[in-house]
Amino acid sequence: MASDTKDPNRRDFLVVAGNTFAAIGAASLIWPFIAQMNPDAGALALSSIEVDLSPIKEGQAITAMWRGKPVFIRYRTAEEIEAAKKVALDDLADPIARNENLKDPASAPATDQNRTIEGHEKWLILIGICTHLGCIPEGQKISDARGDFGGYFCPCHGSHYDTAGRIRKGPAPRNLDVPVITFITDTKIKIG
Amino acid sequence: MADHSSTYEPKSATAKWWDERLPIMRLLSDQMITFPTPKNINYLWTFGGILTVFLLLQLVTGIILAMHYQPSAAEAFNSVDNIMRNVNYGWLIRNMHAVGASMFFIAVYIHIFRGLYYGSYKAPREILWILGMLIFLAMMAAGFMGYALVWGQMSFWGVTVITNLFSSLDGIIPGLGTAIVEWLWGGYSVSGTTLNRFFSLHYLVPFVIVGLVVLHIWALHMTGQNNPTGVEPKTEADTVPMHPYATSKDLFAMFAFFLMFAWFVFFLPDYLGHPDNYNPANPLVTPPHIVPEWYFLPFYAILRAIPDKLGGVIMMFGAIAVLFFIPWLDRSRIRSARYRPIYKWFFWLLVISCLALGYLGAMPAEEPYITWARIFTAYYFAHFLIVMPIVGVLEKPKPLPASISDAVEGGKSSSGASAHKKN
Ligand code: HEM
Ligand code: FES
């Protein structure tokens, strides 16, 4: 006590330092408890698949599963490609390409060319998840509703996509995403 | 009131021995037997007790279901089917749990509108009200995650759509929303991993609710109950002991409510659910028309009324958030709408708006439903943000009775007396 009266603040440093370290220690322990919920190594390991395109005829489509998500693969008809090419960029709700395969996916314009893989424009390959709230749009089957623009239609809240998978009408904010694709041969692709 | 001094007298030597060590009998006696209750509270005051019973019922039936349920993507749907078909009385326990959740929400909505009508959120009951809102939020979390556990088509796509609400945060900070959604899912889509954690949390949340209810009732017993006049009890003549007066009224209402509960459990167990949930979850096919459980429909209607993704999400959460602030938004000095001739009409307009939004939330997202949803959404917010502050200042209230006894015994001092005969 005597020393306290001489220099009453001397011990504050110890108290503050001790509490600070305890607080930092406790706080850094929170991270593992939060991070454990992130996708685990097993989920990350599923990150690429190969798909054979040879059985698909013009006008047909198949759905592959990649990372638990459907991937729409559509062999577009000449009319569908033509319709997508004719659209002026000003008419697009989302003018950005959203194509992971481009050098600048966040700024390239959403032309039909930028929505596909160079040299393979007849193939439309998309993550088949509505960018609104995650439903699977219709349009893969011939009998499906394809919306006002002939591409895909999401029945959940009424989003219409065109034949390049671009959002044209409804609440979805973005064009359907184009995943990372590598053409191994002309009829075989790797997704992811 | 809460400061009523303890009247408990231990009657035996054992009781006295306990009372000096753990005065639990004193607590129960003071808080549940002799506790002064306004003598004019009507049947709308019985829903707190009904809620407590339903909470316990959900805990009991839920723990039993967990003994037979398997929280994996491959087995969840089948294990529920197994409970319904093979487990002894599994059908009964499951129907009670599923219907019980709906009853819980019916009761809480009545309980909340009771509070809104009689101004039970006003000083000094603000904390009581906020605890109630936290209970309501936790109930919604529990209901949402519980519905997911069935792992039918509606479970799966309901979870997909609702968790995706957070992806709208990408509109504020790119990447943030996606990171949160993948964190919630534990993957890149809703999967068995998601189901497993929902099961863990669905087990936890009701116990959090129990804790909140304890605080809620503690706060209630600090201020005492409000009553239909909104006038605080002034003398002992204004109150009666909780037991046997309030308790017997509670019990009677509870039996009536249980009659309805039993009707659903035995005759209409699926009425409040959705037939699509009898199809196992399929990540490749979205059902054509996704609807949440009925008790979320008004909020779902608000979400869909807004044409912008982020805006819709903000409005939906805002619809709940605004309720936390009404103790301060309502500028009227008068608690009970019974003495508020103008506000009373707006109150019923709010009730109609909420019912209409509930109906619209179940309709497809097309015209004319969207326009109507916008109109009622606008009123919902206007009620709290415009009507409450303004009407509270402009309105000339009817004269209040001098006391509860005065109001009950013929209402000599009040022009609103005709409404009092019920009690
Ligand atoms: C699990 C859910 C809940 C339980 C078990 C519960 C329980 C109770 C009980 C036992 C009472 C006393 C009896 C009565 O006056 O009715 C009460 C009063 C009250 N509760 Fe709740 N409650 C729940 C949810 C809520 C919610 C969501 C709100 C809305 C904010 C709320 C607001 C109130 C208010 C304001 C009172 C005081 C009422 C008055 O005296 O006028 N409660 N609650
Ligand atoms: S999820 Fe597709 S429109 Fe809402």
Side-chain angles (χ1 to χ4, degrees):
Chain A
M1 283 298 123
S3 60
D4 279 355
T5 39
K6 235 191 261 159
D7 188 359
N9 296 331
R10 211 156 60 103
R11 269 157 221 262
D12 286 2
F13 173 76
L14 281 180
V15 174
V16 171
N19 286 347
T20 308
F21 271 94
I24 292 173
S28 54
L29 202 60
I30 293 174
W31 179 242
F33 283 84
I34 295 175
Q36 51 82 20
M37 276 174 64
N38 273 324
D40 64 16
L44 292 164
L46 300 171
S47 48
S48 89
I49 58 161
E50 284 181 13
V51 184
D52 178 15
L53 305 182
S54 55
I56 312 172
K57 305 263 170 348
E58 183 169 335
Q60 287 184 336
I62 62 160
T63 305
M65 276 300 253
W66 174 64
R67 287 179 159 187
K69 298 175 179 184
V71 175
F72 289 171
I73 303 172
R74 185 143 144 189
Y75 186 160
R76 296 187 295 170
T77 61
E79 300 87 78
E80 284 173 337
I81 299 172
E82 197 48 41
K85 285 209 161 113
K86 274 217 300 276
V87 181
L89 278 179
D90 291 345
D91 293 342
L92 296 176
D94 175 16
I96 296 169
R98 315 272 171 205
N99 181 347
E100 291 290 327
N101 305 285
L102 301 175
K103 272 197 248 22
D104 43 1
S107 61
T111 57
D112 186 63
Q113 193 186 11
N114 278 346
R115 296 281 298 157
T116 51
I117 307 297
E118 213 184 328
H120 303 278
E121 281 80 7
K122 64 187 183 190
W123 294 105
L124 182 64
I125 305 173
L126 306 163
I127 305 262
I129 293 186
C130 181
T131 58
H132 182 227
L133 294 174
C135 293
I136 313 288
E138 292 185 29
Q140 283 289 85
K141 283 201 249 84
I142 307 281
S143 57
D144 276 356
R146 287 183 167 177
D148 295 355
F149 300 87
Y152 299 93
F153 171 67
C154 182
C156 284
H157 317 94
S159 289
H160 300 251
Y161 297 90
D162 68 13
T163 51
R166 295 170 297 198
I167 178 69
R168 302 297 296 279
K169 187 173 150 193
R174 285 180 292 113
N175 301 327
L176 292 174
D177 290 311
V178 180
V180 175
I181 301 154
T182 328
F183 272 82
I184 301 170
T185 69
D186 267 357
T187 57
K188 190 167 191 161
I189 55 167
K190 187 172 116 203
I191 307 175
Chain B
M1 304 246 80
D3 47 348
H4 89 111
S5 43
S6 183
T7 50
Y8 175 72
E9 295 284 350
K11 295 214 174 55
S12 64
T14 324
K16 194 165 180 304
W17 188 89
W18 270 98
D19 197 47
E20 282 157 3
R21 288 161 178 80
L22 181 71
I24 190 160
M25 296 313 284
R26 176 180 299 277
L27 181 83
L28 292 179
S29 165
D30 292 344
Q31 301 300 326
M32 300 187 65
I33 296 176
T34 59
F35 189 75
T37 311
K39 65 180 177 184
N40 61 334
I41 51 177
N42 60 33
Y43 274 107
L44 291 173
W45 265 262
T46 59
F47 284 89
I50 290 174
L51 282 163
T52 312
V53 171
F54 270 93
L55 178 60
L56 296 179
L57 201 70
Q58 290 306 98
L59 288 174
V60 172
T61 52
I63 289 170
I64 293 172
L65 289 174
M67 295 179 187
H68 304 279
Y69 174 77
Q70 307 222 319
S72 78
E75 284 307 318
F77 188 85
N78 293 339
S79 71
V80 173
D81 206 46
N82 184 59
I83 289 169
M84 293 299 278
R85 290 168 192 272
N86 300 333
V87 173
N88 298 316
Y89 295 101
W91 59 273
L92 179 63
I93 310 280
R94 174 171 181 232
N95 284 353
M96 284 174 79
H97 196 76
V99 174
S102 279
M103 296 295 129
F104 201 8
F105 276 94
I106 292 177
V108 89
Y109 282 131
I110 297 176
H111 193 69
I112 292 174
F113 278 103
R114 182 281 316 264
L116 284 170
Y117 188 81
Y118 293 112
S120 297
Y121 48 86
K122 290 187 199 183
R125 295 188 180 80
E126 304 94 323
I127 298 287
L128 174 59
W129 174 261
I130 287 171
L131 284 165
M133 292 320 303
L134 291 175
I135 292 170
F136 180 46
L137 273 184
M139 280 175 66
M140 292 203 277
F144 169 65
M145 291 190 289
Y147 195 62
L149 301 185
V150 183
W151 215 236
Q153 273 291 67
M154 271 301 159
S155 304
F156 186 91
W157 292 100
V159 171
T160 300
V161 167
I162 301 299
T163 48
N164 259 311
L165 292 178
F166 291 97
S167 70
S168 63
L169 295 175
D170 281 343
I172 303 176
I173 302 176
L176 174 69
T178 308
I180 291 178
V181 173
E182 285 175 359
W183 176 73
L184 288 171
W185 288 342
Y188 302 102
S189 61
V190 175
S191 67
T193 314
T194 324
L195 172 64
N196 217 159
R197 61 186 56 177
F198 274 28
F199 178 57
S200 168
L201 295 174
H202 183 67
Y203 213 131
L204 167 71
V205 170
F207 291 93
V208 174
I209 298 183
V210 171
L212 288 167
V213 168
V214 169
L215 295 179
H216 187 71
I217 294 176
W218 186 1
L220 174 75
H221 282 220
M222 285 306 293
T223 62
Q225 278 159 288
N226 185 25
N227 67 81
T229 66
V231 176
E232 296 287 353
K234 294 192 175 121
T235 60
E236 218 170 309
D238 288 340
T239 64
V240 287
M242 183 157 163
H243 183 74
Y245 297 99
T247 46
S248 54
K249 193 168 186 162
D250 276 356
L251 213 58
F252 181 76
M254 214 173 291
F255 283 134
F257 200 80
F258 262 84
L259 226 55
M260 171 172 76
F261 176 49
W263 172 257
F264 276 104
V265 167
F266 290 104
F267 298 108
L268 297 167
D270 294 321
Y271 184 76
L272 298 161
H274 197 288
D276 255 326
N277 227 22
Y278 277 92
N279 293 325
N282 178 354
L284 283 180
V285 181
T286 308
H289 184 42
I290 298 186
V291 278
E293 296 121 288
W294 69 266
Y295 38 84
F296 296 132
L297 288 173
F299 300 106
Y300 195 56
I302 292 176
L303 169 78
R304 297 192 310 179
I306 313 297
D308 176 71
K309 177 169 164 182
L310 180 61
V313 173
I314 290 175
M315 293 295 264
M316 187 180 80
F317 284 106
I320 299 168
V322 71
L323 298 173
F324 280 82
F325 296 99
I326 62 170
W328 297 277
L329 288 169
D330 187 342
R331 306 301 306 161
S332 171
R333 292 166 297 111
I334 308 298
R335 281 203 192 97
S336 172
R338 187 179 275 183
Y339 305 103
R340 302 187 55 190
I342 301 177
Y343 178 75
K344 188 187 250 173
W345 294 105
F346 284 108
F347 171 83
W348 288 110
L349 211 54
L350 177 70
V351 174
I352 292 169
S353 297
C354 292
L355 293 175
L357 284 171
Y359 167 77
L360 294 165
M363 292 297 112
E366 57 195 41
E367 291 302 346
Y369 307 117
I370 295 182
T371 305
W372 281 109
R374 288 187 184 146
I375 292 170
F376 288 115
T377 300
Y379 182 71
Y380 180 92
F381 284 99
H383 181 89
F384 297 112
L385 299 175
I386 300 173
V387 172
M388 273 196 166
I390 293 181
V391 172
V393 176
L394 296 184
E395 171 185 62
K396 184 177 176 307
K398 293 187 191 169
L400 291 179
S403 69
I404 292 177
S405 297
D406 212 29
V408 179
E409 282 141 28
K412 291 156 222 108
S413 62
S414 154
S415 55
S418 58
H420 301 172
K421 55 184 178 292
K422 278 198 285 302
N423 304 297

